[in-house]
Amino acid sequence: QVLLVQSGAEVRKPGASVKVSCTTSGYTFTAYFLHWVRQAPGQGLEWMGWINPFTGATDFAHKFQGRVTMARDMSISTAYMELSSLRSDDTAIYYCTRGGYNWIDASYFWGQGTLVTVSS
Amino acid sequence: NFMLTQPHSVSESPGKAVTISCTRSSGSIASNYVQWYQQRPGSSPTNVIYDDTQRPPGVPDRFSGSIDSSSNSASLTISGLKTEDEAEYFCQSYDSRNVVFGGGTKLSVL
Protein backbone atom coordinates (compact mmCIF):
# COMPACT_ATOMS: atom_id res chain seq x y z
CA GLN A 1 0.00 0.00 0.00
CA VAL A 2 1.01 3.62 -0.47
CA LEU A 3 2.80 5.05 2.55
CA LEU A 4 4.34 8.43 3.27
CA VAL A 5 6.39 8.41 6.47
CA GLN A 6 7.72 11.70 7.74
CA SER A 7 10.59 12.47 10.08
CA GLY A 8 10.00 13.24 13.72
CA ALA A 9 9.12 16.40 15.59
CA GLU A 10 11.61 19.26 15.63
CA VAL A 11 12.24 22.25 17.88
CA ARG A 12 14.13 25.24 16.52
CA LYS A 13 15.00 28.74 17.65
CA PRO A 14 13.89 31.77 15.65
CA GLY A 15 16.19 32.39 12.70
CA ALA A 16 17.20 28.75 12.37
CA SER A 17 16.29 26.29 9.61
CA VAL A 18 14.48 22.97 9.67
CA LYS A 19 14.52 20.08 7.20
CA VAL A 20 11.68 17.57 7.12
CA SER A 21 11.84 14.31 5.20
CA CYS A 22 9.07 12.27 3.62
CA THR A 23 9.95 8.67 2.77
CA THR A 24 7.54 7.02 0.36
CA SER A 25 6.77 3.42 -0.53
CA GLY A 26 4.19 1.35 -2.34
CA TYR A 27 4.27 3.21 -5.66
CA THR A 28 6.63 4.56 -8.31
CA PHE A 29 8.20 7.57 -6.61
CA THR A 30 8.95 9.46 -9.81
CA ALA A 31 5.43 9.18 -11.25
CA TYR A 32 3.53 11.49 -8.91
CA PHE A 33 3.88 15.04 -7.70
CA LEU A 34 4.53 15.64 -4.01
CA HIS A 35 3.17 18.65 -2.16
CA TRP A 36 3.95 20.17 1.20
CA VAL A 37 1.09 21.58 3.26
CA ARG A 38 1.24 23.03 6.76
CA GLN A 39 -1.28 23.58 9.54
CA ALA A 40 -0.66 25.99 12.39
CA PRO A 41 -2.21 25.04 15.75
CA GLY A 42 -5.99 25.30 15.55
CA GLN A 43 -5.80 26.71 12.03
CA GLY A 44 -6.53 25.59 8.50
CA LEU A 45 -4.40 24.04 5.79
CA GLU A 46 -1.84 26.12 3.92
CA TRP A 47 -0.20 24.96 0.70
CA MET A 48 3.54 25.56 0.53
CA GLY A 49 4.57 24.13 -2.83
CA TRP A 50 5.23 21.05 -4.91
CA ILE A 51 8.10 19.03 -6.31
CA ASN A 52 8.09 16.85 -9.40
CA PRO A 53 10.15 13.87 -8.23
CA PHE A 54 10.97 12.86 -11.80
CA THR A 55 12.51 16.15 -12.93
CA GLY A 56 13.24 17.80 -9.60
CA ALA A 57 11.27 20.88 -10.69
CA THR A 58 9.62 22.83 -7.90
CA ASP A 59 7.13 25.63 -7.46
CA PHE A 60 6.26 27.43 -4.26
CA ALA A 61 3.51 29.59 -2.85
CA HIS A 62 4.53 33.22 -3.12
CA LYS A 63 4.76 33.75 0.64
CA PHE A 64 7.41 31.04 0.98
CA GLN A 65 9.58 31.92 -2.00
CA GLY A 66 13.13 32.61 -0.92
CA ARG A 67 12.65 30.75 2.34
CA VAL A 68 11.72 27.23 1.27
CA THR A 69 13.64 24.55 -0.60
CA MET A 70 12.24 21.25 -1.80
CA ALA A 71 14.40 18.39 -3.00
CA ARG A 72 14.28 14.67 -3.52
CA ASP A 73 16.53 11.61 -3.45
CA MET A 74 15.23 9.17 -6.03
CA SER A 75 17.52 6.39 -4.78
CA ILE A 76 15.60 6.21 -1.51
CA SER A 77 12.20 7.52 -2.68
CA THR A 78 12.39 10.41 -0.26
CA ALA A 79 11.46 14.06 -0.52
CA TYR A 80 12.67 16.90 1.66
CA MET A 81 11.34 20.31 2.60
CA GLU A 82 13.64 22.84 4.21
CA LEU A 83 12.34 26.09 5.66
CA SER A 84 14.80 28.77 6.73
CA SER A 85 14.71 31.99 8.76
CA LEU A 86 12.13 30.43 11.03
CA ARG A 87 9.72 32.61 12.99
CA SER A 88 7.34 31.75 15.79
CA ASP A 89 4.42 31.76 13.34
CA ASP A 90 6.10 28.92 11.43
CA THR A 91 5.12 26.66 14.33
CA ALA A 92 2.88 24.11 12.63
CA ILE A 93 2.38 20.54 11.57
CA TYR A 94 3.99 20.04 8.17
CA TYR A 95 2.50 17.39 5.87
CA CYS A 96 3.81 15.86 2.69
CA THR A 97 1.10 14.69 0.34
CA ARG A 98 1.15 12.63 -2.84
CA GLY A 99 -0.72 14.22 -5.68
CA GLY A 100 -1.35 12.82 -9.12
CA TYR A 101 0.36 12.87 -12.47
CA ASN A 102 -0.25 16.61 -12.59
CA TRP A 103 0.36 19.20 -9.86
CA ILE A 104 -3.32 20.20 -9.97
CA ASP A 105 -4.51 16.72 -9.00
CA ALA A 106 -5.98 15.98 -5.60
CA SER A 107 -3.82 14.69 -2.76
CA TYR A 108 -4.99 11.13 -2.14
CA PHE A 109 -2.25 10.19 0.30
CA TRP A 110 -0.85 12.14 3.22
CA GLY A 111 2.03 11.66 5.59
CA GLN A 112 1.42 11.54 9.33
CA GLY A 113 2.67 15.09 9.75
CA THR A 114 5.75 16.56 11.43
CA LEU A 115 5.35 19.08 14.23
CA VAL A 116 7.85 21.91 13.98
CA THR A 117 7.99 24.18 17.01
CA VAL A 118 9.80 27.51 16.77
CA SER A 119 10.54 28.95 20.17
CA SER A 120 13.31 30.85 21.85
CA ASN B 1 -4.47 34.95 -5.52
CA PHE B 2 -8.08 34.03 -5.04
CA MET B 3 -9.73 32.91 -1.81
CA LEU B 4 -12.10 30.08 -0.98
CA THR B 5 -14.61 30.99 1.72
CA GLN B 6 -16.33 28.35 3.84
CA PRO B 7 -18.68 28.67 6.82
CA HIS B 8 -16.83 28.25 10.10
CA SER B 9 -19.17 25.60 11.41
CA VAL B 10 -22.32 23.66 10.68
CA SER B 11 -24.27 21.21 12.76
CA GLU B 12 -26.97 18.67 12.08
CA SER B 13 -28.55 15.61 13.59
CA PRO B 14 -27.66 12.00 12.79
CA GLY B 15 -29.53 10.69 9.77
CA LYS B 16 -30.05 14.15 8.27
CA ALA B 17 -28.18 15.79 5.40
CA VAL B 18 -25.84 18.76 5.51
CA THR B 19 -24.30 20.90 2.78
CA ILE B 20 -21.02 22.79 3.17
CA SER B 21 -20.37 25.62 0.72
CA CYS B 22 -17.07 26.89 -0.69
CA THR B 23 -17.21 30.21 -2.55
CA ARG B 24 -14.43 31.34 -4.88
CA SER B 25 -13.56 35.05 -4.67
CA SER B 26 -12.29 35.53 -8.21
CA GLY B 27 -12.05 33.40 -11.30
CA SER B 28 -14.67 30.87 -12.28
CA ILE B 29 -15.33 27.98 -9.91
CA ALA B 30 -16.01 25.85 -12.96
CA SER B 31 -12.62 26.51 -14.55
CA ASN B 32 -10.52 24.60 -12.01
CA TYR B 33 -11.41 21.41 -10.19
CA VAL B 34 -12.41 21.50 -6.54
CA GLN B 35 -11.27 18.87 -4.04
CA TRP B 36 -12.67 18.22 -0.58
CA TYR B 37 -10.81 16.85 2.42
CA GLN B 38 -11.99 15.51 5.76
CA GLN B 39 -9.81 15.91 8.83
CA ARG B 40 -10.69 14.27 12.11
CA PRO B 41 -9.02 15.63 15.27
CA GLY B 42 -5.44 14.49 15.59
CA SER B 43 -5.35 12.91 12.13
CA SER B 44 -4.07 13.81 8.68
CA PRO B 45 -6.61 14.98 6.13
CA THR B 46 -8.16 12.46 3.72
CA ASN B 47 -9.65 13.16 0.32
CA VAL B 48 -13.41 12.61 0.13
CA ILE B 49 -14.23 14.31 -3.21
CA TYR B 50 -11.92 15.00 -6.15
CA ASP B 51 -12.45 16.77 -9.45
CA ASP B 52 -15.64 18.49 -8.26
CA THR B 53 -17.85 15.41 -8.01
CA GLN B 54 -15.79 12.21 -7.92
CA ARG B 55 -15.47 9.94 -4.90
CA PRO B 56 -12.19 8.11 -4.22
CA PRO B 57 -12.42 4.38 -3.58
CA GLY B 58 -13.73 3.62 -0.12
CA VAL B 59 -15.61 6.90 0.36
CA PRO B 60 -19.31 6.13 0.89
CA ASP B 61 -21.85 7.44 -1.60
CA ARG B 62 -23.34 9.53 1.21
CA PHE B 63 -20.68 12.06 0.21
CA SER B 64 -21.31 14.07 -2.94
CA GLY B 65 -19.86 17.17 -4.54
CA SER B 66 -21.29 19.77 -6.87
CA ILE B 67 -20.51 23.06 -8.57
CA ASP B 68 -22.81 26.08 -8.97
CA SER B 69 -21.55 28.63 -11.46
CA SER B 70 -24.31 31.12 -10.59
CA SER B 71 -22.95 31.52 -7.05
CA ASN B 72 -19.37 30.69 -8.05
CA SER B 73 -19.28 28.06 -5.37
CA ALA B 74 -18.75 24.38 -4.77
CA SER B 75 -20.65 22.29 -2.27
CA LEU B 76 -20.07 19.13 -0.31
CA THR B 77 -23.22 17.31 0.74
CA ILE B 78 -23.21 14.53 3.30
CA SER B 79 -26.46 12.61 3.59
CA GLY B 80 -27.53 10.10 6.24
CA LEU B 81 -25.18 11.76 8.74
CA LYS B 82 -23.31 9.53 11.16
CA THR B 83 -21.46 10.55 14.28
CA GLU B 84 -18.24 9.43 12.58
CA ASP B 85 -18.71 12.24 10.02
CA GLU B 86 -17.98 14.78 12.73
CA ALA B 87 -14.78 16.41 11.49
CA GLU B 88 -13.41 19.49 9.78
CA TYR B 89 -13.85 19.75 6.02
CA PHE B 90 -11.64 21.74 3.70
CA CYS B 91 -12.21 22.63 0.06
CA GLN B 92 -9.25 23.18 -2.24
CA SER B 93 -8.74 24.48 -5.75
CA TYR B 94 -6.04 26.15 -7.80
CA ASP B 95 -5.22 28.76 -10.42
CA SER B 96 -2.36 28.99 -12.90
CA ARG B 97 0.33 28.50 -10.27
CA ASN B 98 -1.18 28.25 -6.82
CA VAL B 99 -3.07 25.73 -4.75
CA VAL B 100 -5.53 27.33 -2.34
CA PHE B 101 -7.43 25.82 0.58
CA GLY B 102 -10.61 27.12 2.11
CA GLY B 103 -10.53 28.00 5.79
CA GLY B 104 -12.32 24.84 6.83
CA THR B 105 -15.77 24.02 8.20
CA LYS B 106 -16.25 22.20 11.47
CA LEU B 107 -19.14 19.76 11.21
CA SER B 108 -20.87 18.75 14.41
CA VAL B 109 -23.23 15.78 14.35
CA LEU B 110 -25.41 15.91 17.42
Side-chain angles (χ1 to χ4, degrees):
Chain A
Q1 77 279 29
V2 174
L3 286 176
L4 284 71
V5 179
Q6 299 182 222
S7 49
E10 304 272 12
V11 179
R12 293 286 185 274
K13 294 189 184 306
S17 297
V18 70
K19 189 173 185 177
V20 179
S21 68
C22 173
T23 299
T24 72
S25 60
Y27 72 97
T28 301
F29 177 70
T30 51
Y32 300 90
F33 280 72
L34 282 168
H35 296 258
W36 290 88
V37 175
R38 76 178 187 179
Q39 186 171 37
Q43 302 301 308
L45 302 173
E46 182 176 31
W47 177 74
M48 299 180 70
W50 56 253
I51 181 168
N52 179 334
F54 181 66
T55 64
T58 56
D59 201 6
F60 311 124
H62 186 262
K63 74 174 283 186
F64 297 107
Q65 287 182 9
R67 235 175 25 109
V68 70
T69 304
M70 294 181 188
R72 91 294 191 210
D73 184 337
M74 291 185 287
S75 69
I76 55 172
S77 300
T78 298
Y80 304 91
M81 185 283 299
E82 185 168 20
L83 189 62
S84 62
S85 302
L86 288 168
R87 306 183 289 259
S88 58
D89 63 358
D90 291 316
T91 294
I93 297 173
Y94 289 76
Y95 295 101
C96 63
T97 86
R98 199 205 82 173
Y101 297 127
N102 194 311
W103 69 271
I104 65 173
D105 293 338
S107 287
Y108 301 114
F109 301 98
W110 294 63
Q112 83 277 20
T114 297
L115 176 62
V116 175
T117 303
V118 183
S119 174
S120 54
Chain B
N1 267 17
F2 66 97
M3 294 192 303
L4 295 172
T5 300
Q6 301 180 233
H8 290 297
S9 63
V10 295
S11 62
E12 190 50 271
S13 304
K16 301 287 190 179
V18 70
T19 296
I20 298 170
S21 63
C22 170
T23 302
R24 181 164 175 150
S25 62
S26 61
S28 170
I29 193 73
S31 295
N32 306 104
Y33 285 129
V34 175
Q35 333 292 355
W36 289 92
Y37 299 90
Q38 176 193 68
Q39 186 179 32
R40 296 191 173 103
S43 295
S44 301
T46 62
N47 179 237
V48 293
I49 294 289
Y50 69 96
D51 293 357
D52 296 341
T53 62
Q54 304 302 301
R55 275 189 311 278
V59 174
D61 60 7
R62 301 185 295 106
F63 289 78
S64 63
S66 63
I67 295 292
D68 180 2
S69 294
S70 65
S71 58
N72 213 37
S73 65
S75 293
L76 171 69
T77 298
I78 310 170
S79 59
L81 277 168
K82 301 184 177 185
T83 54
E84 68 203 45
D85 299 329
E86 188 160 289
E88 190 151 20
Y89 293 84
F90 296 91
C91 60
Q92 176 232 305
S93 191
Y94 55 91
D95 61 15
S96 59
R97 284 190 63 183
N98 297 285
V99 173
V100 175
F101 285 94
T105 298
K106 185 161 289 189
L107 168 63
S108 298
V109 181
L110 35 70

